[in-house]
Amino acid sequence: MPKDSGIGASSKRREDIRFLTGRGVYTDDITLHGELHAVMVRSTVANGKIASVGIARAESMPGVQAVFTGADFAAVGGNPAGWLINSRDGTPMREPKRPVLAHGKVRHVGDAYAAVVADTYEQARDAAQAISDDTVIEELPAIVNMADAVANPANRVHDEIPDNVCYDWGWIEDNRAKVDAAIKSAPHVTTVELINNRLVPNAMEPRASIGEYFPGTGDYKLTTTSQNPHLTRLLVAAFVLGIPENKLTVVAPDVGGGFGSKIYHYGEEALVLAAAKKLGRPVRWTAERSESFLSDAHGRDHVTKIELASDLQGNFIAIRTTTLANVGAYLSNFSTVTPTFLHGTLMAGPYKVPNVYVNVKTVFTNTAPVDAYRGAGRPEATYSIERAVDKLCRELNLDPFEVRRKNFITKDMFPYTTPVGLAYDTGDYHATLDKAMQLADVAGFEKRAATSKAKGKLRGMGLSTWIEACGIAPSHLVGILGARVGLYDAATVRVNATGNLSVMVGAHSHGQGHETVFAQIVSSKLGVPESSVEIVHGDTSKIPFGMGSYGSRSLAVCGVAMDKALDKIIAKGKKIAAHMLEAAEGDITFADGKFSVAGTDKAKTFGEIAFSAYVPHNYPLETLEPGLEETAFYDPANFTYPAGAYICEVEIDPDTGKVEVASFTCADDFGNVMNPMIVEGQVHGGVGQGIGQALLENAHYDENGQLLTGSYMDYAMPRADDVPFYTVDHSCSTPCTHNPLGVKGCGEAGAIGSPPAVVNAVIDALHRAGHKINHIDMPVSPSRVWSAMNA
């Protein structure tokens, strides 16, 4: 029977009640007395020298309280990258300053160079238009194509970087000669050149920020759409505005989706704080959707050549990849780690390939910054590997299921250290593949293909097997690799006198269901009702310092911190119970919400112990402090490594090239599952985004750096009829061996495994119809498929 509460139960998401009834509180819902409105003035050219900023007319317009330009922030610090990456020759990366407002030069369409603060939004918008009309920017040639950016040093995004390269990274450099030799002597080498297309995150809620300043104390408050409030506080205070960190509170209320794009600090957050101080009134800014397309950090945008060497039976010998990774005009906070350590270290996949070398050049271009987007480096690695494996099977006329199976790391090989430096602790890749094949009814495919053919459609099947590194850690390791922050998390459990609990967590929930799942864990551990547990997050004045939610780390890192804090609560409860029950502490047991003396019927409920802690009338105050509140930090010993196998079937209309996803099957290993319903929903969402990347989405700039896909009229987001009903399974569980919950991440899995499964299915369908097409770049749109078929 399914459980109805606690760990393992499909408890309905408690937070959905307020969302579905319109009672959620998002940043733009908050109205403050006397607030002013800010509007950013953004560049309409991709590369240009600012000759003059025309603010005179705007300053005299009705309602305008202040105008800010880049000159107002020239003396403050810039927004830094979160990781320092060295090139393979040991030289540190080039790290140009990212200003609050552009000063001297604009570097992409949408680059903000001024801001207007006015009494109303309409007044601010009109004044912003006046500044745009009156400003003189001397347009320079735009640098859009990465290869051209590297090859043509005369055009520069940043004047001090002559070749537009941030770094030229190799991993692992000691492997390089060995990999080159292995590929040179291999019986067969498959080569694929591919593009991992640029994506716009498009969270349901646009970015928004409200700045407040309190002159009596010198305190600031920033309410903002953030996945990572403490990191935002650190960056704004220490690196951008130069104010004491303790004088700034950052609050992220309900946040309507992030997918990575709201991890980072953006200039608008610093702008509203500076404006609030200058004007003595709260200042708010909310992005329009067109602004989000131009200014939110985009995702992906890799151009890769991958070479996969094998023997003639399909046993893998070596992998070598060369990638150009676009970072856009500025370094966003995680932009340097995404194409390196979140990408190159996964280039072995779930396979026992003995030799791997990865080379990545990150390139500045006159486009919006590029940073982590759901999966962040892991989808790029998986797509390259799985496309190469499928092409190898076709070239050698081998079964794609059996080739993967023979190259999998086997159960008896764990823990397994890959040639790119990761130590996989556990897994069973054969089990997930077998489960996917069973659920997808691989044996019945030919019958379905015949049915499709009778309808005039081409049917194909695509397979993808994947592995991910989640819960980025440990701090000492990532510090060696260039991280400028720690990657632990924290939780405080406060038991109130009446036995209910407030649990303050460093993770931030913006769609993942933390308020439900964390309460389930507390309920199971302490034997209290889930309804008596309140989960507090998103307010730096209330929660312990944590590193936010991204990289599928919330449960595996923050959840474990909470679990450790609960252990401390139980340990103190045993001390109190020993006194109350007149027994030795070692004789006290705790189960099902009761502290008992072993071998007797003497017991106290959790509520009685909590009350005694706060009303210490009969309490050993000389040896035990009152109160029942504990904090724990957790810094993982390793990543967690979820893995899985995905099978996609597509139908193609040969007359139009339109691809329809007919079925999609996921078999995942997420370790121990806390809430099956939420896990299933996370996979659904990720697969939807992966199908979007594979078939529909593409952020496209023209040669002048203009974003041609800057609205929903031009950027094709997946709709309900673009995706099938998914079959999702997570029964093939191998619990993580190094965290007490045994959990792995699930939030990014769908977006990692789905794009290659879809593209492999399309290529399979075309080959079955006699079209010798080996690759089509994403998005595999009708026009691209039709053109390939009719070339």
Side-chain angles (χ1 to χ4, degrees), residues 44-46 109 139 144 700-709:
T44 57
V45 302
V109 173
E139 189 170 1
V144 177
H700 181 69
Y701 287 89
D702 70 9
E703 66 275 9
N704 297 313
Q706 296 293 332
L707 183 62
L708 300 182
T709 51

Side-chain angles (χ1 to χ4, degrees), residues 631-646:
T631 297
F633 288 78
Y634 177 63
D635 200 324
N638 193 0
F639 298 95
T640 68
Y641 298 100
Y646 288 2

Side-chain angles (χ1 to χ4, degrees), residues 614-772:
Y614 286 96
V615 186
H617 294 164
N618 178 21
Y619 200 87
L621 292 172
E622 65 280 1
T623 59
L624 196 61
E625 294 178 345
L628 196 53
E629 177 177 325
E630 297 289 349
T631 297
F633 288 78
Y634 177 63
D635 200 324
N638 193 0
F639 298 95
T640 68
Y641 298 100
Y646 288 2
I647 296 175
C648 175
E649 290 188 29
V650 301
E651 282 190 333
I652 301 175
D653 183 337
D655 295 328
T656 65
K658 179 174 172 56
V659 178
E660 179 181 345
V661 179
S663 67
F664 204 100
T665 301
C666 307
D668 296 303
D669 174 5
F670 295 135
N672 293 335
V673 170
M674 302 292 106
N675 183 314
M677 181 188 69
I678 287 180
V679 166
E680 192 168 327
Q682 287 284 298
V683 175
H684 285 188
V687 172
Q689 286 182 284
I691 291 173
Q693 176 176 12
L695 298 180
L696 298 162
E697 299 182 50
N698 190 36
H700 181 69
Y701 287 89
D702 70 9
E703 66 275 9
N704 297 313
Q706 296 293 332
L707 183 62
L708 300 182
T709 51
S711 75
Y712 291 140
M713 294 293 289
D714 307 294
Y715 187 90
M717 292 281 285
R719 301 175 184 237
D721 60 356
D722 292 312
V723 297
F725 288 99
Y726 312 113
T727 300
V728 175
D729 178 86
H730 46 74
S731 64
C732 302
S733 169
T734 60
C736 175
T737 61
H738 56 79
N739 71 56
L741 295 176
V743 295
K744 305 177 182 180
C746 72
E748 298 164 297
I752 293 170
S754 55
V758 174
V759 177
N760 287 344
V762 171
I763 300 301
D764 181 62
L766 296 176
H767 266 267
R768 289 173 178 272
H771 300 282
K772 302 304 180 185

Side-chain angles (χ1 to χ4, degrees), residues 171-523:
W171 192 255
I172 294 176
E173 197 63 23
D174 290 345
N175 291 353
R176 187 178 186 183
K178 185 169 61 172
V179 171
D180 291 347
I183 289 177
K184 185 176 181 179
S185 62
H188 182 83
V189 178
T190 291
T191 301
V192 186
E193 297 187 24
L194 52 86
I195 293 172
N196 216 290
N197 42 322
R198 179 186 279 238
L199 304 175
V200 180
N202 281 318
M204 187 175 290
E205 178 197 20
R207 290 189 296 115
S209 298
I210 303 172
E212 298 175 75
Y213 179 71
F214 305 94
T217 60
D219 289 336
Y220 296 79
K221 181 179 179 181
L222 174 66
T223 304
T224 191
T225 48
S226 175
Q227 297 175 223
N228 200 344
H230 268 114
L231 180 64
T232 298
R233 186 183 74 163
L234 173 66
L235 293 172
V236 173
F239 295 100
V240 181
L241 294 184
I243 59 177
E245 191 178 352
N246 64 298
K247 304 303 286 183
L248 173 62
T249 295
V250 175
V251 177
D254 289 329
V255 173
F259 312 119
S261 69
K262 293 174 182 172
I263 303 171
Y264 335 112
H265 163 59
Y266 293 88
E268 294 89 353
E269 294 167 324
L271 183 283
V272 296
L273 290 170
K277 181 179 181 181
K278 179 176 180 177
L279 298 171
R281 294 166 65 180
V283 176
R284 69 182 305 117
W285 168 81
T286 300
E288 294 184 348
R289 184 60 65 179
S290 57
E291 279 187 285
S292 296
F293 271 95
L294 295 174
S295 63
D296 289 6
H298 293 174
R300 313 292 191 249
D301 206 350
H302 286 193
V303 177
T304 296
K305 176 182 177 181
I306 178 169
E307 297 162 281
L308 172 58
S310 74
D311 63 20
L312 298 181
Q313 291 73 47
N315 295 293
F316 301 161
I317 296 171
I319 291 175
R320 180 171 63 197
T321 70
T322 303
T323 293
L324 291 179
N326 202 336
V327 289
Y330 301 103
L331 294 181
S332 182
N333 297 139
F334 281 71
S335 61
T336 54
V337 69
T338 298
T340 53
F341 293 110
L342 297 184
H343 163 251
T345 55
L346 269 295
M347 199 53 75
Y351 306 115
K352 51 180 185 281
V353 52
N355 304 294
V356 181
Y357 177 72
V358 181
N359 175 222
V360 177
K361 284 184 180 178
T362 56
V363 183
F364 292 104
T365 61
N366 292 123
T367 63
V370 180
D371 208 322
Y373 171 70
R374 196 170 193 168
R378 283 68 60 92
E380 295 90 319
T382 299
Y383 182 67
S384 298
I385 296 168
E386 292 301 296
R387 284 295 299 120
V389 171
D390 230 54
K391 186 167 182 277
L392 179 144
C393 294
R394 208 169 301 285
E395 290 171 348
L396 295 179
N397 196 28
L398 298 172
D399 184 294
F401 291 88
E402 292 310 310
V403 166
R404 287 172 171 87
R405 192 185 303 279
K406 72 165 63 176
N407 285 285
F408 278 155
I409 301 161
T410 56
K411 285 196 300 183
D412 61 329
M413 298 174 73
F414 291 104
Y416 181 86
T417 300
T418 73
V420 276
L422 294 183
Y424 301 166
D425 63 326
T426 187
D428 190 346
Y429 312 138
H430 290 87
T432 51
L433 179 57
D434 291 343
K435 176 62 73 170
M437 293 176 68
Q438 172 200 335
L439 295 173
D441 184 23
V442 171
F445 172 75
E446 295 299 340
K447 183 178 179 180
R448 294 190 295 276
T451 302
S452 296
K453 185 176 181 179
K455 297 188 300 181
K457 300 291 181 68
L458 314 180
R459 195 176 189 101
M461 175 184 287
L463 169 65
S464 167
T465 56
W466 62 273
I467 189 169
E468 179 189 4
C470 295
I472 307 171
S475 290
H476 72 84
L477 174 60
V478 298
I480 293 170
L481 299 180
R484 288 166 164 167
V485 293
L487 286 167
Y488 51 84
D489 222 297
T492 296
V493 176
R494 178 179 299 153
V495 183
N496 299 309
T498 51
N500 59 346
L501 296 94
S502 298
V503 182
M504 285 68 75
V505 294
H508 185 275
S509 181
H510 42 276
Q512 299 91 335
H514 295 168
E515 294 174 33
T516 299
V517 176
F518 286 176
Q520 287 179 257
I521 296 171
V522 175
S523 171

